[in-house]
Amino acid sequence: MTKHYQVVGNPIAQSKSPFIHMAFAQQTQQHISYQRACPEVDGFLVEAQRFFASGGLGMNVTAPFKLDAYNFASQLTPRATLAGAVNTLAVQEEGSILGDNTDGYGLVTDITQQLGWPLRDKKLLVLGAGGAVRGVLQMLLEQRPAQLVLANRTLVKAEALASVFAPIGPVETVEFDALSGFAHGHFDLIINATSASLAGDLPPVPETLIAPATYCYDMTYGAQPTVFLRWVASLGVRVSADGLGMLVGQAAESFRLWHGVMPEVKPVMAALRQHLKA
């Protein structure tokens, strides 16, 4: 019997979720269909009701519908509640629909397991304070870094996130314009969680923060290194990565929620990387 899943977003044609989930299904011998859906920006509720009423069992949700999915779910995981957004919906045995957010899992497992970068007792700088950051702060803090600094163009937005996650761990906040006050090579890891790379721009980070030993991670990805990764490489950074591993990792956690089995991430990452370059 074929089980039905889909990803919902607007736009959605660029989504790699069908490629990833069909690869996971083949690997684990699951019989599934996995489609894309692109409702109008105010049409998520109708699409979600239609899909689950027709027997759909799980849905991935991307921009701009993560808050709509949060409101649609009949119950939420603790990490989805903290994130204030849902990227995975799953039908439970009794028929209720669980909302989860797997973005933090995808990021942290990519950094710690696939890349082998340590986070515990390290000094982290996270650039941006939007929804992407809210979805990953919990798991970053649970790694017990020595310091986590959240930098954003507007301080009030960063401070709001810091207050939400204060029960889990301390988050320092700073405006981009004040970053130059930090010492050279101050951070062990810099995570670019802004949307700048999508527009071919750089976040306003002073060069003095970038040292050859700094690990740099861009949550966006592409067939070629992002503008942020090219920039830090020009400054001598030896170790960096894009967000493709995060993408596959968060999908793997969604797959586990739906099917009760965790797929192997590495072969799917390699296949997706080749697919992007084709």
Side-chain angles (χ1 to χ4, degrees):
M1 178 181 173
T2 300
K3 297 179 284 187
H4 299 285
Y5 302 88
Q6 70 175 17
V7 60
V8 179
N10 187 340
I12 199 60
Q14 80 291 346
S15 174
K16 306 305 178 189
S17 291
F19 181 98
I20 296 168
H21 281 275
M22 293 308 293
F24 285 158
Q26 183 177 22
Q27 179 192 117
T28 58
Q29 299 181 333
Q30 302 288 324
H31 299 286
I32 73 168
S33 70
Y34 192 102
Q35 306 296 325
R36 296 180 179 92
C38 185
E40 296 297 324
V41 292
D42 61 350
F44 176 83
L45 178 61
V46 171
E47 173 57 27
Q49 290 173 334
R50 180 206 66 78
F51 176 74
F52 288 110
S54 69
L57 296 177
M59 178 186 290
N60 288 131
V61 183
T62 187
F65 299 125
K66 291 184 179 182
L67 179 58
D68 295 291
Y70 179 94
N71 293 326
F72 175 79
S74 46
Q75 55 181 307
L76 297 166
T77 64
R79 60 190 179 188
T81 301
L82 265 177
V86 160
N87 76 341
T88 303
L89 294 168
V91 175
Q92 304 297 282
E93 287 187 3
E94 79 284 2
S96 67
I97 297 178
L98 177 69
D100 196 6
N101 191 307
T102 65
D103 286 335
Y105 176 91
L107 174 67
V108 169
T109 56
D110 187 38
I111 290 174
T112 61
Q113 296 180 21
Q114 305 305 325
L115 297 169
W117 301 355
L119 291 175
R120 188 176 182 87
D121 297 327
K122 300 300 181 181
K123 297 180 179 180
L124 314 183
L125 172 62
V126 179
L127 307 175
V133 174
R134 182 160 181 159
V136 304
L137 269 182
Q138 177 184 353
M139 284 203 65
L140 285 174
L141 289 168
E142 286 175 349
Q143 297 299 302
R144 296 296 178 255
Q147 181 184 33
L148 194 155
V149 175
L150 191 59
N152 196 53
R153 197 173 303 277
T154 54
L155 188 61
V156 64
K157 196 169 183 181
E159 290 175 336
L161 279 189
S163 66
V164 169
F165 290 90
I168 300 172
V171 177
E172 299 177 43
T173 58
V174 63
E175 289 181 316
F176 281 139
D177 290 345
L179 273 172
S180 58
F182 286 92
H184 178 82
H186 176 81
F187 296 100
D188 298 300
L189 169 64
I190 298 176
I191 299 173
N192 180 24
T194 72
S195 59
S197 288
L198 295 174
D201 297 326
L202 284 172
V205 180
E207 292 185 9
T208 53
L209 292 185
I210 310 296
T214 306
Y215 289 12
C216 292
Y217 191 99
D218 196 331
M219 285 172 59
T220 61
Y221 67 93
Q224 303 298 324
T226 67
V227 63
F228 175 74
L229 296 183
R230 294 197 302 271
W231 177 64
V232 298
S234 74
L235 298 175
V237 166
R238 296 188 291 265
V239 181
S240 64
D242 68 9
L244 184 137
M246 175 184 174
L247 173 72
V248 179
Q250 63 81 24
E253 178 69 348
S254 294
F255 193 89
R256 183 194 66 79
L257 289 171
W258 294 336
H259 305 288
V261 58
M262 178 61 76
E264 291 289 333
V265 167
K266 282 187 176 179
V268 178
M269 286 176 59
L272 181 56
R273 186 72 72 185
Q274 288 301 314
H275 177 72
L276 290 175
K277 293 178 178 178

